[in-house]
Amino acid sequence: MIFDKWGDMPQRSLRWMSAMLGVALYSLVFIYAQRFWLAGWLATRSGQPELLLFLLPGAVMALLHAESLLKSTLLMALWGTLLPNGALLARTSLTMLSAWSLSALFWAGSGALLLRIIWR
């Protein structure tokens, strides 16, 4: 089916495109943030401020899916977490990777809820 304008595109296609955009953005942030984590920066500092970068994909998904922002953000974050973890599992332990991934999910959900608070 060929569409002349973006306005003629079905709502379902727009949801899939925005979900894929959210997964891609979350995966990029995940890979970027874990690069610092795997580089051994944990030994030189006590916190992990790179986890705050996950507020950005959460806020983007909250803008794209305003009707179900937390559900869509957490689903996007779950898919974005599962995709890059295959290669990272060989470098680190499963418990550390799980804890770091759950923390990233938390910050993405917090970004969505923060945007909801600010937006209203």
Side-chain angles (χ1 to χ4, degrees), residues 26-48:
Y26 185 88
S27 295
L28 287 174
V29 170
F30 194 89
I31 291 168
Y32 178 77
Q34 276 209 338
R35 184 180 67 145
F36 291 109
W37 176 56
L38 291 173
W41 284 37
L42 285 176
T44 60
R45 59 189 175 143
S46 60
Q48 293 183 2

Side-chain angles (χ1 to χ4, degrees), residues 54-56 58-60 62 69 73 106-116:
F54 288 103
L55 291 170
L56 178 66
V60 168
L69 67 110
T73 300
F106 168 78
W107 284 109
S110 296
L113 292 175
L114 182 66
L115 188 75
R116 169 71 107 184

Side-chain angles (χ1 to χ4, degrees), residues 70-88:
L70 191 58
K71 182 180 87 171
S72 60
T73 300
L74 290 179
L75 285 174
M76 173 266 316
L78 182 66
W79 280 106
T81 300
L82 293 176
L83 290 177
N85 271 347
L88 296 171

